Amino acid sequence: MTEKRMSRWYFGGLASCGAACCTHPLDLIKVHLQTQQEVKMRMMGMAVHVVKNDGLLALYNGLSASLCRQLSYSLTRFAIYETVRDMLGSTNTGPMPFYQKVMLGAFGGFTGGFIGTPADMVNVRMQNDVKLPPELRRNYKHAVDGVVRVFREEGVKKLFSGATMASSRGALVTVGQLACYDQAKQLVVGTGLMGDNMLTHFLSSFIAGGCATFLCQPLDVMKTRLMNSKGEYSGVMHCVRDTAKLGPMAFYKGLVPAGIRLVPHTVLTFMFLEQLKNYFGIIIIS
């Protein structure tokens, strides 16, 4: 008999929260770079500007909204993907084909992206607040206060502003992260050169983070602009056309900080997830 451990449905959300606490400053800088209409600052310049003007703790503006987003968006997508994958894996003789992982990841990510849209929008606004003049700042106390105020002041429709982009991005990120991680891990372990250990988890998650960054960056730029808008865009296509005026590379604005943020976030998420599974997972005897 052999013993293995399966992830519990909420482990993905917990692992994502742990990763978000480590990478939040990079996420904040990425949002600042994406909301520049003209390229005035690069990554390090933006970081220095934020710290100089508002202090070191300003790099953690919107952390509560980021954690709230992980507990809605990431928890949902991981729960759907891992629950269905493990359920199908228990009935099949071999691993799930890659195309099925892609389809399952897209569905889980799309659903999670929609559910996490209100927290995601508040997260973007709280991170971007320090760039605005004092009289224009929204000054949300925390994530829940932000969601309640948007609901009261702008209506429930505004809470889901950018939901199409957030859901589409969620689908692509989940395909890049979860499906590619599973496939990379399967291929690495299948070589026989490495076992199911931390080095394998690191290598597989690094590959997955690169795939996710490349796939989702254009949608991430659109999502950030829509969520941070104050009514200047009539819809998604209007936002696309306005961004396209800045040139094709505008859709990849903030690519380096996005990669620097998303790759470590992906690596940390799966490292935390594997450790949670190893120590607290469901024991399966086969």
Side-chain angles (χ1 to χ4, degrees):
M1 291 191 299
T2 58
E3 177 185 304
K4 69 175 184 177
R5 290 181 180 263
M6 291 173 60
S7 179
R8 299 181 188 273
W9 65 271
Y10 53 85
F11 279 0
L14 295 180
S16 297
C17 283
C21 289
C22 300
T23 61
H24 187 77
L26 295 171
D27 192 30
L28 178 136
I29 293 166
K30 179 202 69 172
V31 168
H32 283 208
L33 289 170
Q34 288 177 346
T35 51
Q36 291 183 110
Q37 190 63 24
E38 297 177 7
V39 179
K40 296 177 181 177
M41 295 185 190
R42 300 294 180 183
M43 184 180 174
M44 287 306 299
M46 184 63 77
V48 171
H49 175 74
V50 171
V51 172
K52 186 184 294 184
N53 285 0
D54 298 276
L56 188 62
L57 289 179
L59 291 172
Y60 279 90
N61 280 341
L63 179 61
S64 64
S66 181
L67 295 178
C68 184
R69 175 177 179 261
Q70 298 303 334
L71 289 173
S72 52
Y73 159 65
S74 286
L75 189 145
T76 301
R77 66 194 183 109
F78 270 93
I80 291 173
Y81 182 87
E82 297 211 314
T83 301
V84 176
R85 181 201 62 192
D86 292 342
M87 184 176 64
L88 293 177
S90 64
T91 58
N92 296 336
T93 55
M96 181 186 293
F98 182 59
Y99 78 91
Q100 289 184 6
K101 295 175 185 174
V102 169
M103 292 170 62
L104 180 57
F107 174 73
F110 190 89
T111 306
F114 181 79
I115 291 173
T117 298
D120 198 8
M121 185 192 68
V122 172
N123 181 34
V124 169
R125 287 186 171 189
M126 289 178 73
Q127 289 176 353
N128 199 57
D129 230 23
V130 295
K131 284 177 61 180
L132 301 174
E135 65 275 9
L136 295 179
R137 293 181 182 181
R138 298 179 174 99
N139 295 318
Y140 299 146
K141 296 175 185 176
H142 45 72
V144 177
D145 177 58
V147 171
V148 171
R149 280 184 53 189
V150 173
F151 175 75
R152 287 177 178 172
E153 297 168 11
E154 302 174 65
V156 68
K157 186 177 179 182
K158 189 64 178 178
L159 276 175
F160 289 90
S161 172
T164 303
M165 286 294 175
S167 299
S168 302
R169 178 189 178 277
L172 291 176
V173 169
T174 307
V175 168
Q177 286 184 329
L178 276 69
C180 289
Y181 175 79
D182 271 356
Q183 193 67 20
K185 182 179 172 182
Q186 180 185 324
L187 292 172
V188 170
V189 173
T191 62
L193 300 175
M194 298 171 67
D196 188 359
N197 52 37
M198 291 188 71
L199 182 58
T200 297
H201 303 159
F202 175 83
L203 181 59
S204 302
S205 56
F206 188 87
I207 294 169
C211 293
T213 303
F214 178 78
L215 284 172
C216 75
Q217 186 61 15
L219 284 176
D220 196 26
V221 172
M222 293 295 95
K223 175 184 71 73
T224 300
R225 285 177 169 266
L226 283 168
M227 287 182 170
N228 202 53
S229 70
K230 293 188 175 180
E232 59 262 39
Y233 300 126
S234 59
V236 174
M237 290 310 299
H238 183 197
C239 183
V240 171
R241 288 195 299 270
D242 189 62
T243 306
K245 292 176 182 177
L246 304 175
M249 291 310 296
F251 292 100
Y252 281 90
K253 188 181 288 184
L255 178 64
V256 173
I260 292 174
R261 177 257 169 188
L262 189 55
V263 173
H265 185 275
T266 304
V267 170
L268 289 169
T269 296
F270 284 108
M271 297 287 275
F272 289 151
L273 179 63
E274 293 285 1
Q275 294 307 304
L276 284 170
K277 184 167 67 175
N278 287 342
Y279 287 100
F280 306 105
I282 303 168
I283 300 174
I284 303 294
I285 306 293
S286 60

